[in-house]
Amino acid sequence: MGVAKKIAVIAMLTGLSLITFLIEGLFPPIIIPGAKMGLSNIFSFTALIMFSPLEAFLVVILRTGLGAVFAGNVSALMYSFTGGIVSMAVSSLLMYLVYPKVSVLSVSVAAAVAHNITQNVVFALLAESTLMFGLMPYLVLLGIVSGAIVGGVIMLIFKGVPQTVFQKAIKERTKPKK
């Protein structure tokens, strides 16, 4: 894939991620204040599968930065950014170290749980309150559900889109390490 085409695809994934993030922000939280499904992670995870962690982190950084500005909630950047970075780090490590022994669905669930735990820890540190840790079991459960949904959508995308689009990326990901 040429550089211009790669930049265009990353821009498209970033735009889709940002739009999904903004639309999801219009809905009320799920069970816990501030909790969302994290559907925008579909596009950063897609960037990870298609390209590399660098491009995936770029999508996360741009989405969280622009999302905070467009949503008018720059203080939420602390939570979205840290959760997104930790989540993508977990995804990257699992995709490069244990995939395909572990499914995309499992990677997505682990990343979503890491995201929720990270956001809760950041909130507890900023609020200087350990009471927030009481929400941890619910956040882990919500991470499992949302991670399964995101992972399922990613699996459907890669099954539904013509193989030629993703063939090169998938081949690179499954090559044995030298």
Side-chain angles (χ1 to χ4, degrees):
M1 181 179 299
V3 175
K5 191 172 185 179
K6 184 177 181 180
I7 290 171
V9 171
I10 292 168
M12 180 193 65
L13 291 172
T14 301
L16 290 169
S17 183
L18 178 61
I19 290 166
T20 306
F21 175 81
L22 293 172
I23 291 171
E24 196 173 12
L26 298 173
F27 293 96
I30 301 169
I31 304 167
I32 300 167
K36 296 187 291 182
M37 288 303 295
L39 298 176
S40 58
N41 295 316
I42 292 167
F43 304 102
S44 50
F45 202 148
T46 299
L48 176 65
I49 293 170
M50 286 182 67
F51 302 111
S52 76
L54 178 65
E55 290 83 0
F57 278 109
L58 183 60
V59 172
V60 169
I61 291 165
L62 291 171
R63 177 195 69 231
T64 57
L66 292 170
V69 170
F70 288 139
N73 191 357
V74 180
S75 64
L77 184 61
M78 294 178 284
Y79 309 112
S80 295
F81 181 77
T82 54
I85 293 297
V86 169
S87 173
M88 189 48 60
V90 167
S91 296
S92 298
L93 287 171
L94 291 174
M95 287 301 288
Y96 277 87
L97 296 177
V98 294
Y99 179 81
K101 293 176 185 169
V102 175
S103 70
V104 166
L105 189 71
S106 299
V107 172
S108 181
V109 167
V113 169
H115 190 283
N116 287 355
I117 289 171
T118 301
Q119 284 188 322
N120 195 21
V121 168
V122 168
F123 187 81
L125 291 172
L126 291 174
E128 298 179 356
S129 171
T130 56
L131 293 175
M132 292 308 299
F133 292 116
L135 293 176
M136 204 67 83
Y138 305 105
L139 291 169
V140 168
L141 182 59
L142 185 60
I144 291 168
V145 172
S146 63
I149 290 169
V150 167
V153 169
I154 291 167
M155 290 170 57
L156 288 173
I157 288 170
F158 281 89
K159 283 184 181 176
V161 174
Q163 281 292 33
T164 55
V165 175
F166 300 113
Q167 197 170 24
K168 186 181 281 187
I170 293 169
K171 276 185 187 176
E172 288 298 317
R173 190 71 68 235
T174 58
K175 272 187 190 175
K177 308 254 189 264
K178 292 181 182 180

